[in-house]
Amino acid sequence: MLPVLYRAIGTAAHALLSAVLPVLHFTVPGWETEQRLGRYQCDFARAGPLIWIHAASVGEVQAACVLIAALREQIPSSYFFVTTMTRQGRDAARLRLPQPVRCELAPLDMPQAVRRALREVRPDVYVCLETELWPTMLREISQAGIPALLLNGRLSERSFRRYRLLPGFMAELLKRFSAISVISEQDSARFRQLGAEQVQVCGNLKYDLPAADAGAMREKYQRLLKPDGKRIFICGSTRTGEEELLLPVCRRLRQETAGKLLWIIAPRHLNRIDEVRSLLQEAGLDCKLLSECAAQGRRKDIVLVDSLGELADLYALGDVNFCGGSLVNKGGHNIMEPVRWHRPVCFGPFMQDYQDAAELVLSAGAGFQARDANELAEQLSALLHDERLHQQTCQAAERLAAAQQGSAQRQAELVMRELQTKGRV
């Protein structure tokens, strides 16, 4: 009953939108109703398969970029049509993806719009990223004989509870996918409880970083900075207002380690170096720039990173790491960078831009999230003084990093298998 009602509402909405299309075109800037109604005017002169990848917004676009790179390695003749639900996502896709990848807004989930889009695009396979479940799209794709895959799937506890209220509807929806790839075992269990079949855990596309020698990278920066037995506290990608919050944290750690602490600060924006240096001086603290340490040797126990691209590798040196943009409301930064080097990572409450990474790290036991600077100090203190906890967290980070490696390759192989079944490669 519910699917029938959903389609009926979609059909009525399509008729209404079509009637007011000329008015919307001139009165609602940016609505772009033509694309929402599946009118793309596609003319793909293609020799290879066309893969339609749907990404909700900017976060999923990042995953799409990784997947397309992996697919191009396996299928050089492939073509890509990428859709998003938001204009921000579409603009990000157009900026990040190379030509001739076509990036447009997704059609609204109405039968007429979806059918028209499928006639114009004529995909060989449809890939849905994360958990963008559109009933009409999946139904029309299934009826058209186009294989659909759900890749990089994730399902929060909140979404899972909501979907469980519609067990039959969700089971029917998920069975339309020929394959489902999810990020974690927890996601797999939730999808299976909803009735999904052909589920496998492949890790997260966005954090599929190549394996690296953590020990060698740590030795590289030890030679540069010569910590001389000091514990190393790295604060990366710090934002305005965050260093003030971190000052008492550092003071506590210095006191607890009897002054044997090397504090490394990497502001997110290099134009803030002088601002952070002045803040430290006002607090009675001397510092050196990383570039000065490289040229003259480290002579202070506070180092400011003043070069681009250094932080991602420098995290390997940290006994404890804090990832900025999270104690102040800036959405957080990539906490998987310290994890890559098998190091613990701590972060604040504001992680809305990297919530998926936060869930991965916390569920794996590879780091800690603090509600404020006081709780951050408690967490860092525990890591520095409890060697068993520190080792357990490092080992958890190592396992988590390993679980993400090869994710893009594994998920690209699922697409490749469907195309082979159709005889398109």
Side-chain angles (χ1 to χ4, degrees), residues 27-39:
T27 60
V28 186
W31 177 249
E32 300 180 81
T33 317
E34 292 284 348
Q35 292 182 31
R36 296 299 192 184
L37 294 180
R39 301 173 183 176

Side-chain angles (χ1 to χ4, degrees), residues 8 60 88 113 116 147 182 215 218 220 284 302 312 326 333 335 347 369 374 376 378:
E60 292 77 17
Q88 294 92 336
R116 184 182 185 109
V182 297
R218 187 172 176 85
K220 170 188 171 180
I302 301 178
S326 61
H333 290 295
I335 57 176
F347 47 95
Q369 184 168 26
N374 289 331
L376 176 66
E378 293 288 340

Side-chain angles (χ1 to χ4, degrees), residues 247-265:
L247 276 171
V249 175
C250 180
R251 287 196 181 101
R252 172 175 170 174
L253 298 181
R254 291 182 75 179
Q255 183 179 14
E256 292 181 355
T257 57
K260 293 185 176 182
L261 184 79
L262 173 57
W263 187 22
I264 300 173
I265 310 170

Side-chain angles (χ1 to χ4, degrees), residues 166-198:
L166 304 167
F169 179 73
M170 289 305 301
E172 180 184 351
L173 201 63
L174 292 171
K175 286 176 182 177
R176 295 192 184 277
F177 290 108
S178 55
I180 297 177
S181 163
V182 297
I183 291 172
S184 69
E185 291 290 350
Q186 190 175 49
D187 294 310
S188 175
R190 289 171 180 166
F191 271 101
R192 290 183 184 279
Q193 287 182 59
L194 292 175
E197 300 173 352
Q198 307 296 330

Side-chain angles (χ1 to χ4, degrees), residues 142-394:
S142 177
Q143 292 186 345
I146 301 167
L149 297 93
L150 174 61
L151 301 185
N152 224 47
R154 57 190 299 268
L155 200 57
S156 68
E157 179 62 30
R158 180 181 178 184
S159 296
F160 175 62
R161 290 196 303 267
R162 187 169 66 245
Y163 288 146
R164 286 189 71 178
L165 299 175
L166 304 167
F169 179 73
M170 289 305 301
E172 180 184 351
L173 201 63
L174 292 171
K175 286 176 182 177
R176 295 192 184 277
F177 290 108
S178 55
I180 297 177
S181 163
V182 297
I183 291 172
S184 69
E185 291 290 350
Q186 190 175 49
D187 294 310
S188 175
R190 289 171 180 166
F191 271 101
R192 290 183 184 279
Q193 287 182 59
L194 292 175
E197 300 173 352
Q198 307 296 330
V199 182
Q200 55 187 288
V201 178
C202 290
N204 194 324
L205 282 169
K206 289 187 280 189
Y207 306 119
D208 183 3
L209 299 171
D213 190 334
M217 188 61 68
R218 187 172 176 85
E219 289 176 9
K220 170 188 171 180
Y221 285 106
Q222 284 175 335
R223 290 193 298 270
L224 172 64
L225 293 173
K226 295 180 174 56
D228 299 325
K230 291 181 172 65
R231 307 304 297 273
I232 300 163
F233 173 35
I234 297 179
C235 295
S237 298
T238 56
R239 305 294 289 271
T240 301
E242 215 155 27
E243 293 86 5
E244 290 94 329
L245 297 173
L246 291 166
L247 276 171
V249 175
C250 180
R251 287 196 181 101
R252 172 175 170 174
L253 298 181
R254 291 182 75 179
Q255 183 179 14
E256 292 181 355
T257 57
K260 293 185 176 182
L261 184 79
L262 173 57
W263 187 22
I264 300 173
I265 310 170
R268 178 67 173 178
H269 301 113
L270 294 185
N271 60 7
R272 295 190 57 243
I273 288 290
D274 289 341
E275 171 192 333
V276 176
R277 180 185 281 186
S278 296
L279 171 71
L280 293 171
Q281 289 173 344
E282 290 172 6
L285 300 171
D286 292 329
C287 65
K288 279 287 186 181
L289 300 178
L290 183 64
S291 59
E292 293 173 336
C293 295
Q296 308 162 9
R298 181 186 62 80
R299 299 174 184 175
K300 302 293 180 182
D301 286 344
I302 301 178
V303 175
L304 285 181
V305 179
D306 59 337
S307 53
L308 285 172
E310 196 85 50
L311 176 63
D313 290 342
L314 188 58
Y315 275 129
L317 184 62
D319 291 303
V320 288
N321 297 294
F322 166 75
C323 216
S326 61
L327 274 180
V328 293
N329 194 2
K330 296 295 183 181
H333 290 295
N334 189 359
I335 57 176
M336 292 298 287
E337 288 180 340
V339 168
R340 181 192 185 193
W341 301 112
H342 317 156
R343 311 310 292 168
V345 61
C346 295
F347 47 95
F350 302 106
M351 287 293 293
Q352 50 270 41
D353 291 347
Y354 288 89
Q355 190 58 44
D356 54 348
E359 291 173 4
L360 275 175
V361 167
L362 294 175
S363 63
F368 302 90
Q369 184 168 26
R371 289 172 292 186
D372 52 34
N374 289 331
E375 189 170 59
L376 176 66
E378 293 288 340
Q379 293 169 350
L380 294 169
S381 177
L383 281 167
L384 286 177
H385 290 90
D386 187 337
E387 186 59 30
R388 182 178 179 183
L389 173 64
H390 190 270
Q391 284 298 318
Q392 287 175 341
T393 311
C394 289

